[in-house]
């Protein structure tokens, strides 16, 4: 379905019983809402109604040109506005990669809109900042960001050899068809630049502005994540004041929704049900 919000048109994949508790699913780079397709069946079977959003830059009708349009406050405002357009006052929130950063921001600034939070792969921005300041291995893991912030150069590198570099980046998501499912949309004019603008608009001040999260929260991390190390993962707990659970998935890469949809769905449902029981 298409949702009008903030003067833009967002693509939203819906599923599950219409009367079910709402779940807003936020994807990461360089994917789209389809990354949740293997996770949502278990959520639907549990009676939840899911809304998987193609976020700013990924929805063709929500692709502003200015880099500043992709700052974290704008991305968070999009999520809140889409909930408004859907008539949802508060939702269970699940975000992976950059979607996790948006989810952390929404839960910190508008906790009344978030019933529970399940953040996947990327920890609270303050935990990430701590790791970058204290852990040399995390600095090395994050070195790719410097390339992504280089206008034109990053596009040239990632799209070289008909997008071969981008496809190699996505190898952990599954077979060649699954890789192509994410890589091909990034070859459309303007799509990759819009996705990379999330990195180019990123600032230390915006990251620091994300305060403690008071809602019931689960952080799901995998020990073979090439981008996020253990220091950042373990530091996450210090920035959640609500009930907090840490789920570590051994032997799984960064692409958790694709590689381990069953365990991820279990973590989401455990968080949702734990809140209901409370």
């Amino acid at each position: 379905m298409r949702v009008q919000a903030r003067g833009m048109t967002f693509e939203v994949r819906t599923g599950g019983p219409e009367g079910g508790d709402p779940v807003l699913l936020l994807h990461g780079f360089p994917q789209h809402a389809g990354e949740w397709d293997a996770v949502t069946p278990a959520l639907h079977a549990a009676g939840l109604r899911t809304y998987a959003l193609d976020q700013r830059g990924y929805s063709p009708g929500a692709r502003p040109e200015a880099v500043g349009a992709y700052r974290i406050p704008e991305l968070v405002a999009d999520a809140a506005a889409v909930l408004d357009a859907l008539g949802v006052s508060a939702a269970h929130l699940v975000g992976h990669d950059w979607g996790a950063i948006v989810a952390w921001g929404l839960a910190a600034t508008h906790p009344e809109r978030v019933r529970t939070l399940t953040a996947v792969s990327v920890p609270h921005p303050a935990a990430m900042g701590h790791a970058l300041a204290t852990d040399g291995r995390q600095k090395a893991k994050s070195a790719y960001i410097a390339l992504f912030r280089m206008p034109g150069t990053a596009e040239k590198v990632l799209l070289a050899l008909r997008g071969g570099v981008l496809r190699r980046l996505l190898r952990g998501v599954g077979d060649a068809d699954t890789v192509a499912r994410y890589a091909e949309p990034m070859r459309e004019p303007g799509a990759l630049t819009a996705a990379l603008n999330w990195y180019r608009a990123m600032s230390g001040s915006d990251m620091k502005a994300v305060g403690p999260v008071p809602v019931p929260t689960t952080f799901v991390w995998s020990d073979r994540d090439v981008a996020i190390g253990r220091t950042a993962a373990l530091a996450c707990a210090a920035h959640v004041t609500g009930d907090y659970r840490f789920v570590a998935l051994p032997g799984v890469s960064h692409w958790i929704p694709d590689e381990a949809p069953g365990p991820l769905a279990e973590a989401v449902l455990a968080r949702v049900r734990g809140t209901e029981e409370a």
Side-chain angles (χ1 to χ4, degrees), residues 10 23 93 125 154 200:
F10 292 89
V23 180
L93 189 58
R200 294 164 183 164

PDB file of all heavy atoms in Angstrom, residues 10 23 93 125 154 200:
ATOM      1  N   PHE A  10       5.076   6.994   0.724  1.00  0.00           N
ATOM      2  CA  PHE A  10       5.869   5.870   1.206  1.00  0.00           C
ATOM      3  C   PHE A  10       5.203   4.550   0.827  1.00  0.00           C
ATOM      4  O   PHE A  10       3.979   4.411   0.925  1.00  0.00           O
ATOM      5  CB  PHE A  10       6.015   5.930   2.727  1.00  0.00           C
ATOM      6  CG  PHE A  10       6.851   7.069   3.224  1.00  0.00           C
ATOM      7  CD1 PHE A  10       6.284   8.303   3.512  1.00  0.00           C
ATOM      8  CD2 PHE A  10       8.220   6.913   3.408  1.00  0.00           C
ATOM      9  CE1 PHE A  10       7.054   9.361   3.968  1.00  0.00           C
ATOM     10  CE2 PHE A  10       9.006   7.958   3.865  1.00  0.00           C
ATOM     11  CZ  PHE A  10       8.420   9.193   4.147  1.00  0.00           C
ATOM     12  N   VAL A  23       2.775  -3.710  14.372  1.00  0.00           N
ATOM     13  CA  VAL A  23       4.233  -3.781  14.420  1.00  0.00           C
ATOM     14  C   VAL A  23       4.778  -2.992  13.240  1.00  0.00           C
ATOM     15  O   VAL A  23       4.431  -3.274  12.088  1.00  0.00           O
ATOM     16  CB  VAL A  23       4.746  -5.236  14.339  1.00  0.00           C
ATOM     17  CG1 VAL A  23       6.275  -5.269  14.405  1.00  0.00           C
ATOM     18  CG2 VAL A  23       4.142  -6.094  15.435  1.00  0.00           C
ATOM     19  N   LEU A  93       7.905  -1.848  17.743  1.00  0.00           N
ATOM     20  CA  LEU A  93       8.844  -1.309  16.771  1.00  0.00           C
ATOM     21  C   LEU A  93      10.022  -2.259  16.609  1.00  0.00           C
ATOM     22  O   LEU A  93      10.617  -2.700  17.595  1.00  0.00           O
ATOM     23  CB  LEU A  93       9.325   0.061  17.256  1.00  0.00           C
ATOM     24  CG  LEU A  93      10.152   0.934  16.327  1.00  0.00           C
ATOM     25  CD1 LEU A  93       9.391   1.226  15.038  1.00  0.00           C
ATOM     26  CD2 LEU A  93      10.501   2.246  17.034  1.00  0.00           C
ATOM     27  N   PRO A 125      22.839   4.609  19.649  1.00  0.00           N
ATOM     28  CA  PRO A 125      23.929   5.445  19.140  1.00  0.00           C
ATOM     29  C   PRO A 125      24.991   5.795  20.178  1.00  0.00           C
ATOM     30  O   PRO A 125      26.180   5.900  19.834  1.00  0.00           O
ATOM     31  CB  PRO A 125      23.189   6.705  18.659  1.00  0.00           C
ATOM     32  CG  PRO A 125      21.846   6.200  18.248  1.00  0.00           C
ATOM     33  CD  PRO A 125      21.515   5.134  19.256  1.00  0.00           C
ATOM     34  N   ALA A 154      31.607   6.819  -3.810  1.00  0.00           N
ATOM     35  CA  ALA A 154      30.970   5.622  -3.258  1.00  0.00           C
ATOM     36  C   ALA A 154      30.063   4.963  -4.292  1.00  0.00           C
ATOM     37  O   ALA A 154      30.072   3.734  -4.454  1.00  0.00           O
ATOM     38  CB  ALA A 154      30.169   5.975  -2.008  1.00  0.00           C
ATOM     39  N   ARG A 200      25.822  10.296   4.710  1.00  0.00           N
ATOM     40  CA  ARG A 200      26.382  11.634   4.489  1.00  0.00           C
ATOM     41  C   ARG A 200      25.752  12.686   5.382  1.00  0.00           C
ATOM     42  O   ARG A 200      26.377  13.696   5.703  1.00  0.00           O
ATOM     43  CB  ARG A 200      26.230  11.992   3.005  1.00  0.00           C
ATOM     44  CG  ARG A 200      27.075  11.095   2.123  1.00  0.00           C
ATOM     45  CD  ARG A 200      26.706  11.116   0.663  1.00  0.00           C
ATOM     46  NE  ARG A 200      27.542  10.148  -0.057  1.00  0.00           N
ATOM     47  CZ  ARG A 200      27.285   9.690  -1.275  1.00  0.00           C
ATOM     48  NH1 ARG A 200      26.197  10.114  -1.921  1.00  0.00           N
ATOM     49  NH2 ARG A 200      28.088   8.817  -1.846  1.00  0.00           N
TER      50      ARG A 200
END
